[in-house]
């Protein structure tokens, strides 16, 4: 790093005491002091590094060399600390002052060179219009007073990974992990956190904006878990109801086949969102919030777009798609620390809320 770049990094480096204070409740589950020190150092590296957040780049930006690079790599890829207690502590922290308005599920596609990184497979990427090697994950976000916080991540493992003993061993995929569909990945990202906490987390509707899922299976599972929901569906999967626009959500009873898939759901509310003059809607949602007013539903639908904007503005630049290790545990620890860095960045961010 040249002198000017190092000076710029030093200028934006968070005060050690302030960052340590923010991280202290989060790394309480880490048993060793060296792990807690590296926790703070890794988050600092994510915050101050310019460009790709690789182990090497972060070590260089922090003023270290190969030794620090190896320590950062070991901390996420080879260490033993459990990421779920950290994610639950983070969720408690970001929702304590302001309870969430919504829990939002959104996908993450991370293009990768080659096929050796855990979970990488061929998948169509809408933004580029063709197949790429990618990691596919689903993130769970807490939207609190229009501030967006990533709090959980679930990496999809296709059969090409779970059925290959060599790949499993090389990337430390836990025994018992089975191949997942995007539907299963999305519901697990939700239930791993919301249903797995010892102390109940604040209640809020679950907004599901994930493509290529069986929306009715998701609705059935959310209904069974007694979680209110707003789920985006394909227009052809629900009845066409004239007038069901932003100002006029309407109750619908699903066709028999779909009603069977959402056993016990009864009537749901169909909510269209249209932004242009075209006769068809931009988005179609189903919700069990049958007594909600249109403004509330519009706000919940907008929370998914707020998450998209927050990811593009904060989370992605902090390295959400930059993990350069290969292991399943390493990816999960890296994404946990990216979530912590996101919270640290937004805590001091003076830009307007989304």
């Amino acid at each position: 790093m040249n002198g000017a770049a190092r000076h710029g990094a030093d200028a934006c480096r968070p005060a050690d005491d302030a960052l340590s204070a923010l991280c202290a409740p989060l790394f309480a589950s880490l048993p060793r002091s060296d792990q807690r020190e590296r926790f703070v150092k890794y988050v600092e590296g994510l915050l101050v590094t310019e460009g790709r957040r690789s182990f090497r780049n972060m070590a260089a930006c922090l003023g270290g060399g190969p030794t620090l690079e190896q320590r950062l790599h070991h901390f996420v890829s080879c260490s033993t600390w459990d990421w779920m207690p950290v994610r639950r502590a983070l969720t408690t922290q970001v929702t304590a002052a302001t309870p969430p308005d919504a829990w939002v599920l959104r996908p993450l596609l991370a293009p990768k060179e080659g096929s050796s990184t855990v979970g990488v497979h061929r998948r169509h990427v809408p933004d580029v219009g063709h197949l790429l090697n990618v990691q596919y994950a689903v993130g769970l976000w807490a939207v609190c007073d229009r501030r967006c916080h990533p709090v959980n991540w679930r990496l999809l493992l296709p059969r090409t990974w779970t059925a290959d003993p060599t790949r499993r061993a090389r990337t430390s995929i836990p025994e018992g992990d089975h191949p997942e569909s995007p539907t299963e990945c999305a519901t697990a990202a939700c239930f791993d956190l919301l249903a797995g906490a010892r102390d109940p987390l604040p209640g809020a509707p679950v907004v599901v904006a994930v493509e290529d899922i069986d929306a009715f299976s998701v609705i059935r599972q959310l209904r069974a878990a007694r979680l209110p929901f707003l789920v985006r569906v394909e227009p052809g999967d629900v009845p066409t109801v004239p007038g069901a626009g932003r100002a006029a959500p309407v109750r619908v009873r699903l066709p028999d086949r779909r009603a069977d898939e959402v056993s016990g759901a009864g009537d749901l509310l169909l909510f269209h969102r249209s932004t242009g003059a075209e006769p068809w809607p931009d988005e179609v949602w189903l919700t069990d919030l049958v007594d909600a007013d249109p403004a509330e539903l519009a706000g919940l639908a907008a929370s998914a777009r707020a998450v998209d904007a927050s990811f593009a503005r904060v989370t992605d630049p902090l390295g959400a798609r930059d993990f350069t290790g290969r292991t399943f545990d390493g990816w999960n620890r890296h994404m946990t620390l990216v979530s912590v860095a996101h919270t640290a960045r937004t805590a001091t961010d003076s830009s307007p809320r989304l």
Side-chain angles (χ1 to χ4, degrees):
M1 178 184 295
N2 61 38
R6 185 180 299 281
H7 176 76
D10 290 340
C12 68
R13 179 167 294 174
D16 289 345
D17 290 346
L19 185 58
S20 296
L22 182 145
C23 291
L26 308 180
F27 61 50
S29 61
L30 275 63
R32 303 200 315 262
S33 61
D34 63 307
Q35 292 177 326
R36 296 191 287 273
E37 290 171 4
R38 289 172 192 171
F39 186 107
V40 177
K41 186 63 70 176
Y42 198 97
V43 173
E44 183 182 1
L46 293 171
L47 288 167
V48 303
T49 300
E50 296 181 3
R52 190 180 187 194
R53 266 62 169 182
S54 65
F55 302 124
R56 177 171 298 177
N57 288 349
M58 288 194 293
C61 189
L62 292 169
T67 299
L68 180 56
E69 178 185 349
Q70 183 61 29
R71 286 175 178 170
L72 296 176
H73 177 274
H74 185 277
F75 177 65
V76 298
S77 296
C78 309
S79 191
T80 58
W81 59 276
D82 186 353
W83 54 85
M84 281 308 298
V86 178
R87 294 180 185 180
R88 290 181 182 127
L90 177 65
T91 308
T92 298
Q93 186 178 84
V94 300
T95 60
T98 308
D101 302 305
W103 302 101
V104 177
L105 288 167
R106 290 292 291 151
L108 165 66
L109 287 171
K112 296 291 178 180
E113 295 291 336
S115 57
S116 58
T117 303
V118 64
V120 167
H121 60 286
R122 300 287 284 176
R123 181 174 288 272
H124 183 265
V125 178
D127 289 346
V128 298
H130 56 79
L131 293 171
L132 289 178
N133 280 356
V134 299
Q135 287 176 312
Y136 176 97
V138 177
L140 178 69
W141 295 64
V143 179
C144 307
D145 191 23
R146 296 166 59 194
R147 292 282 192 188
C148 303
H149 306 274
V151 293
N152 196 34
W153 302 94
R154 180 84 175 190
L155 179 66
L156 183 143
L157 295 173
R159 188 172 298 279
T160 51
W161 281 88
T162 60
D164 186 329
T166 301
R167 275 184 152 185
R168 291 188 73 111
R170 190 174 66 240
T171 56
S172 303
I173 294 175
E175 289 190 22
D177 276 26
H178 303 293
E180 288 185 333
S181 65
T183 300
E184 293 165 328
C185 187
T187 54
C190 177
F191 296 141
D192 281 351
L193 191 75
L194 298 187
R198 180 180 303 174
D199 299 319
L201 291 164
V206 178
V207 177
V208 183
V210 182
E211 297 79 13
D212 299 325
I213 62 171
D214 182 344
F216 296 94
S217 174
V218 172
I219 289 172
R220 175 176 53 79
Q221 294 178 66
L222 292 172
R223 172 76 67 163
R226 299 180 183 275
L227 292 172
F229 58 82
L230 186 75
V231 177
R232 197 168 66 195
V233 298
E234 293 298 323
D237 286 342
V238 292
T240 300
V241 181
R246 178 185 298 218
V250 297
R251 291 189 186 226
V252 297
R253 182 166 291 277
L254 300 176
D256 290 343
R257 180 175 64 87
R258 291 305 192 189
D260 290 342
E261 295 175 28
V262 193
S263 177
D267 288 350
L268 298 173
L269 203 64
L270 178 67
F271 173 65
H272 289 179
R273 176 182 173 270
S274 300
T275 57
E278 302 293 343
W280 51 84
D282 298 308
E283 297 172 352
V284 179
W285 302 82
L286 280 174
T287 179
D288 63 345
L289 301 171
V290 295
D291 296 321
D293 61 45
E296 180 181 355
L297 296 177
L300 289 172
S303 66
R305 300 188 295 280
V307 164
D308 286 344
S310 186
F311 177 84
R313 184 173 62 86
V314 182
T315 327
D316 200 19
L318 288 173
R321 296 189 285 187
D322 289 351
F323 179 59
T324 54
R326 293 186 176 182
T327 66
F328 177 83
D329 289 354
W331 182 88
N332 275 286
R333 294 191 184 104
H334 173 80
M335 294 304 294
T336 301
L337 294 160
V338 167
S339 295
V340 175
H342 176 109
T343 299
R345 175 60 49 81
T346 56
T348 58
D349 190 351
S350 60
S351 59
R353 295 185 181 184
L354 297 169

